[in-house]
Structure formats: structure tokens, C-alpha cells
Amino acid sequence: MAAEISAALPATGDASADALTPALRGLLATLRLRPRRALGRQGLGHHASRNRGSGQEFAQYRAYESGDEPRQIDWKLYARSDRFFVREAERESPVRAWLLLDTTASMAQADEARPQFSRFDAARQLAVCVFEIAQRQGDACGLVLCGGSGLSLVTPGSGPRQRDRLRHALATATAIGEWPKAEVLAPAWGRIGRGDLVIALGDCFDEAAVAQLVRLAHAGREVVALQVLTADERDFPFADGRRFVEPEAGESLLGDGPALRADYLARFAAAQRTLSARFAAAGIRHATHVIDQSPGQALQQLFGDRAR
């Protein structure tokens, strides 16, 4: 598929890749990273039971202790009692999430209508959204970068410093080369525990990448796949003759856009149906994001109320 639609040069990216609008931030506040499987780990289920924390539902008051955040203090109760009390809320048991980002050369593809914003920029924006959701619910989130540069890994953690580490890793990542060989990825797969949540972001054009996700799912990992496509891949709007270049292997094809369009769209739709069926058979939740759309729709599909 990628060979027929990679006409644009790799984009350099722009600041909008990390820009979360107020509307998008509002949506993120309603989303949760909640695995379907409530597999126990260290005596706790993944969002299957409740414990005390800083969640949404009030549970009880307790006396203020050193280290508590001032925003947790009930100031109205302090005015009545002249003592500091902290509001405790119920929060769901923690999830350990891994964000798996495809950093191969095909991720640098951009639309002709917006060459400064690539598929990789959109994927990084989605990754930041996932980090924000995890940060809000106090869950540990890590990052695995897979591409021509090999393997880069940020161990799961939580809190503002972890968010900064993840954002820095995204900002310095580049989309080059091909999907790494299985032996290169083995150290990362060994770190992803049974019951961990894996959120994969990529174009899903690499057979090896899709096969790895299926293997992870069969090995008991909760896998969510978010496919990122360009609008040109969806619409094939080319109205003239051109050379189509496969960005990873470098192979090229000369062709006439209007003459190729009907056949391309039919085969692309068939390939998408095959991919969806393959993910469904492996128990992998799947959504598609096209980079000319807001990321909210795909995120809502995977992490909104209906998904749960």
C-alpha cells in the first residue's frame, strides 16, 4: 500500500504536533486507559477494584499529613473546625501502559495539502494525548520507539517528571529506516508484563509490526492499535502523472493518478478490512486516525465510555 501513495517528501514537522487545544484537553479529561482484561498483579486488578487516592468520587476525610497537596485540603471544613482535613477519593487500581510508536520512514509521509504536518507529527500528538490521560488517572506509562534507529525505551512511570521524559523522547525521535528485526525488539517485549496495556501507534503497513502486535496479544498482553493514515492515502486525490516512491525500500512506480485511483481505492479498502479482521481475531481493539481530522474521534472510540 505505502508504495503507491508516498509521493510527498518527508515532512519536517511543526509545533502543532504537540499543541493540545482546550477542547481536546477537555475531551481527554473524560477518557480512561481501562484494559478489558482485569488481570491481577501484586494483589490488585487493573481498574477492577478501588482504593484510596486522588480520583473523582469522594470516599472520606482524614487528617492532613506532611506531603499532602494543599489542593486536597477541604478549606470549608477548616473554617468550621480550625483543623486541616484532606478529602480522599476513590480511584481505580493502576494500569501500567506502554506506548509503542512506529518510527520507520513511512511515518514521515505528509499530505500534499499540508506538507509541514506529517503522519509522525500526528502520531506524536496522539502519544501526548495518551500520556495526558495516564497522568490524569495516576497510571504508569512508558514508551517504546521502533524504527530504523533501532529500539529506544522509556520505562513506565508516573508524575510530571515522567511526562517530561516521555515528551523529550518524542521530541527527539526521528522517522527513518525500516521496522527492526525481531531480535532487536526482544529486550522490549521482555519488559512488557502479562496484563500490561500496549497502545501501538503507526501506519500498520509493516507486516512485521502487525505480526508483533498479534503475538503480544496472544501472549496475554492487552493490545490497542491506533492506525495513523494520511488523507492522501484515504482519498488518492492525485490528478496528474507522477512517480510514487516507497519511503523505506526506495522502490518507485510511474503512474497516472486518475487511471490508478479506482483500483487503488478498492485494494486499499480491502487491505483495511483484512487488517481489521486480523486485529479482531487477536482480540486487539483498533481505531483509525486520518491526519486531517481531530484526534479526539479515534481517542474517544478507544478510551471513551462506549469502549469501556
Side-chain angles (χ1 to χ4, degrees), residues 22 32 45 56 63 74 82 116 157 159 169 171 207-208 212 237:
R32 306 303 297 270
Q56 300 296 319
D74 190 311
D82 200 31
Q116 77 281 7
E207 165 57 26
Q212 289 284 355

Side-chain angles (χ1 to χ4, degrees), residues 82 120 160 216 242 271 289:
D82 200 31
F120 196 49
L216 282 172
R242 62 184 60 217
H289 169 65

Side-chain angles (χ1 to χ4, degrees), residues 179-180 206-213 215:
W179 186 260
D206 289 290
E207 165 57 26
V210 175
Q212 289 284 355
L213 296 182
R215 280 196 286 271

Side-chain angles (χ1 to χ4, degrees), residues 141-178:
C141 188
L143 176 66
V144 182
L145 302 174
C146 302
S149 298
L151 177 72
S152 180
L153 184 147
V154 179
T155 302
S158 59
R161 289 186 179 180
Q162 176 70 0
R163 179 175 57 189
D164 291 342
R165 282 191 287 268
L166 295 169
R167 283 175 173 252
H168 175 73
L170 285 178
T172 56
T174 55
I176 59 174
E178 299 179 319

